[in-house]
Amino acid sequence: MSFFLCVHEVAADLGFKIKPMLKRSKEFKEVKIAIVDNYEYENISRLSLLPKNTASMLVSNLIALCLLAVAVSGEDKKLSPHATSMADTSANLAFNLYHNIAKEKGLDNILISPVVVASSLGMVAMGGKSSTASQVKSLLKADTLKDDHLHKGLSELLTEVSDPQARNVTWKISNRLYGPSSVSFSDDFVKNSKKHYNYEHSKINFRDKRSAINSINEWAAKSTDGKLPEITKDVKNTDGAMIANAMFFKPHWDEKFHHKMVDNRGFLVSRSHTISVPMMHRTGIYGFYDDTQNKLLVVSMPLAHKKSSMIFIMPYHVEPLERLEKLLTRQQLDTWVSKLEERAVAISLPKISMEVSHDLQKHLAELGLTEAVDKSKADLSNISGKKDLYLANVFHASALEWDTEGNPFDTSIYGSEKIRNPKLFYVDHPFIFLVKDNKTNSILFMGRLVRPKGDKMRDEL
């Protein structure tokens, strides 16, 4: 809450109105006196009987309280132990889920949000009973947590990391649970899943399959302002519950790229396949590590407000990512991050937009979620009051963009020693990337870019 909003709201509660009559002081410590000396008091209710100097004293105390409230609210609030635990869990889930998805043959790009997956699992746990719910909690490493603590922890985590003002990112998250037309959603489940996980609920009739799929895709497009036009072309299992996550994420760099420093370059999908992409260029101070043993580069670029960072991991040369993915664990990432050195780096980064959708049902089953996805075993009776549902599909779809936008860059470093002899980070072939939250250590997004959008370039050799 802003200072002036606080003053007006508390004054209204006390029964009078305040009309500001000042130009704001430059020094914050002077604001209290300046406001008291320059306010008119429109007294109403019982305060109209008070002398003006008494009203002035009340206003003075009110302002002191609001100054204190604003100061406290501006402090970096710590996460609760339950939210911290869920942040750790979601980070571990990121790597397990990524590796499972990466085993799919013919799959190019990967893009998942582990904190959103974890919150969806929390919603499943809320809807489950007995061993079905216990299995979900085990996957979340939350066996010992009370249900209330689990839901509050996941809710707090997602609210913290997706705050667009605090982190200066665009992150639209829409979640919907679809059920067959015969299902009746429990009022308590609808209320609590909306409260903790911001889930919408909808019935869908798959008798007209094409119309049903169009309806799902239209919802995704509308909820992401057209950035995610499609979640799926087909739905195989139409007799159960379906989770749909639709997201649009656009990071803003802590220091922007100059919009004129963009040109078309080649991105090597493989040694024989090159795609034309717009490439952004800039030199700045970034976290950089050259892993000569594993022949790869790691670069960390802070996002605006420095609450999170985008980490790029790229092999020296064009190669399939399997070798790099075998190295990729949470412990290895922590090792790479610990070895980052702040130094001058000349970065060339493709300006991209990508849309990726995964049906995570089978991947979550392979990680241990076997009951909820089994029609004969699932007990999701908290959703509808009876055992008439199983988790038939888990569509997790994201649109991601990054471009030149960000905060103004620091011009003072140009021409200085800091910027001399920069390391080169030329991103022209497949790489892995993560968006890591610096406060919670959770992973907001994790993925790989193998095939960007663009036209195939003709081999001139």
Side-chain angles (χ1 to χ4, degrees):
M1 180 186 292
S2 71
F3 170 74
F4 291 100
L5 183 59
C6 173
V7 169
H8 280 272
E9 287 193 359
V10 178
D13 289 341
L14 291 174
F16 63 98
K17 297 178 183 177
I18 299 177
K19 181 180 178 183
M21 301 289 291
L22 79 156
K23 294 181 180 178
R24 190 184 299 219
S25 301
K26 291 182 180 179
E27 294 295 327
F28 189 69
K29 64 185 179 182
E30 296 174 7
V31 171
K32 175 182 171 183
I33 298 171
I35 291 176
V36 173
D37 290 345
N38 291 276
Y39 261 94
E40 291 181 350
Y41 309 106
E42 184 184 340
N43 297 315
I44 59 175
S45 73
R46 64 184 185 278
L47 291 182
S48 62
L49 302 175
L50 295 176
K52 187 172 182 178
N53 62 340
T54 304
S56 179
M57 184 177 68
L58 284 171
V59 174
S60 178
N61 291 335
L62 153 67
I63 289 170
L65 281 171
C66 285
L67 286 169
L68 179 62
V70 171
V72 170
S73 65
E75 292 177 0
D76 201 10
K77 183 183 175 184
K78 290 185 178 180
L79 287 182
S80 71
H82 309 307
T84 301
S85 172
M86 289 300 99
D88 186 64
T89 287
S90 66
N92 289 325
L93 179 65
F95 293 91
N96 294 334
L97 190 55
Y98 178 94
H99 284 295
N100 204 283
I101 295 172
K103 292 188 296 185
E104 281 190 33
K105 292 183 179 179
L107 183 67
D108 290 326
N109 303 331
I110 294 176
L111 185 59
I112 55 173
S113 173
V115 291
V116 172
V117 175
S119 69
S120 293
L121 288 171
M123 187 275 297
V124 176
M126 178 181 285
K129 280 186 177 179
S130 61
S131 55
T132 299
S134 298
Q135 201 174 65
V136 182
K137 291 180 73 174
S138 292
L139 183 56
L140 289 171
K141 300 293 186 285
D143 306 77
T144 59
L145 276 186
K146 293 180 179 179
D147 289 349
D148 189 48
H149 292 161
L150 169 66
H151 303 313
K152 286 182 178 178
L154 284 169
S155 178
E156 181 187 345
L157 172 64
L158 190 58
T159 299
E160 169 69 34
V161 300
S162 62
D163 183 343
Q165 280 74 39
R167 280 161 172 72
N168 195 17
V169 299
T170 300
W171 194 3
K172 297 180 182 295
I173 306 171
S174 296
N175 303 308
R176 180 170 281 191
L177 179 67
Y178 287 94
S181 54
S182 60
V183 75
S184 295
F185 293 112
S186 158
D187 290 342
D188 282 347
F189 175 78
V190 168
K191 181 182 71 175
N192 290 322
S193 57
K194 175 71 174 176
K195 173 184 175 182
H196 291 294
Y197 301 114
N198 201 28
Y199 256 81
E200 301 171 6
H201 308 82
S202 180
K203 297 180 183 182
I204 192 163
N205 188 348
F206 275 105
R207 287 181 181 177
D208 185 348
K209 195 173 183 180
R210 178 177 294 181
S211 176
I213 292 171
N214 287 341
S215 176
I216 294 165
N217 290 331
E218 285 171 7
W219 164 79
K222 184 178 180 180
S223 61
T224 58
D225 297 332
K227 297 295 185 178
L228 187 66
E230 184 178 271
I231 281 183
T232 185
K233 296 182 184 296
D234 191 21
V235 177
K236 293 179 180 178
N237 303 319
T238 61
D239 59 344
M242 182 177 74
I243 285 175
N245 306 133
M247 290 170 283
F248 171 58
F249 185 81
K250 183 178 180 180
H252 300 258
W253 309 111
D254 188 57
E255 291 192 359
K256 65 183 179 181
F257 290 76
H258 198 291
H259 67 279
K260 292 185 178 180
M261 296 288 287
V262 180
D263 57 9
N264 286 330
R265 301 285 180 99
F267 185 96
L268 287 78
V269 176
S270 66
R271 294 186 182 276
S272 59
H273 187 172
T274 303
I275 290 177
S276 176
V277 298
M279 192 79 79
M280 314 181 296
H281 313 276
R282 81 176 310 272
T283 299
I285 306 298
Y286 297 106
F288 179 87
Y289 175 60
D290 183 352
D291 186 342
T292 55
Q293 180 180 351
N294 292 306
K295 298 181 179 179
L296 58 88
L297 299 173
V298 182
V299 168
S300 177
M301 296 180 64
L303 303 182
H305 297 349
K306 297 186 178 180
K307 294 288 184 76
S308 56
S309 301
M310 184 164 280
I311 299 172
F312 298 94
I313 309 166
M314 186 180 71
Y316 283 175
H317 307 294
V318 182
E319 63 173 274
L321 289 177
E322 283 86 349
R323 179 184 70 85
L324 175 53
E325 286 170 338
K326 287 179 181 177
L327 296 171
L328 189 63
T329 63
R330 188 177 180 187
Q331 293 74 23
Q332 182 61 67
L333 177 68
D334 290 342
T335 298
W336 283 328
V337 169
S338 70
K339 293 183 178 181
L340 290 171
E341 178 188 356
E342 293 292 313
R343 60 161 304 141
V345 184
I347 291 178
S348 294
L349 186 66
K351 178 182 173 182
I352 71 156
S353 65
M354 60 190 290
E355 300 90 38
V356 183
S357 182
H358 303 286
D359 187 350
L360 300 181
Q361 193 232 35
K362 66 176 182 179
H363 301 298
L364 292 172
E366 288 172 4
L367 294 179
L369 193 73
T370 57
E371 282 202 14
V373 301
D374 189 323
K375 189 175 182 179
S376 64
K377 296 179 180 178
D379 184 354
L380 297 174
S381 52
N382 279 338
I383 294 179
S384 63
K386 52 186 178 179
K387 292 177 65 174
D388 57 350
L389 285 176
Y390 77 108
L391 200 55
N393 304 276
V394 182
F395 289 113
H396 185 78
S398 307
L400 170 69
E401 289 181 4
W402 65 63
D403 55 21
T404 59
E405 292 181 20
N407 292 338
F409 39 77
D410 180 7
T411 57
S412 68
I413 65 170
Y414 295 109
S416 69
E417 289 292 330
K418 290 181 179 180
I419 210 72
R420 291 188 181 179
N421 302 316
K423 291 290 185 179
L424 181 65
F425 188 62
Y426 192 82
V427 186
D428 69 342
H429 55 274
F431 59 92
I432 291 172
F433 62 92
L434 305 95
V435 181
K436 188 172 184 292
D437 186 66
N438 297 328
K439 177 179 176 180
T440 66
N441 283 323
S442 56
I443 294 173
L444 311 187
F445 276 91
M446 184 174 185
R448 71 183 185 194
L449 182 66
V450 172
R451 188 183 299 270
K453 293 179 182 178
D455 297 325
K456 185 176 180 179
M457 295 179 71
R458 189 175 55 162
D459 190 351
E460 299 293 343
L461 296 178

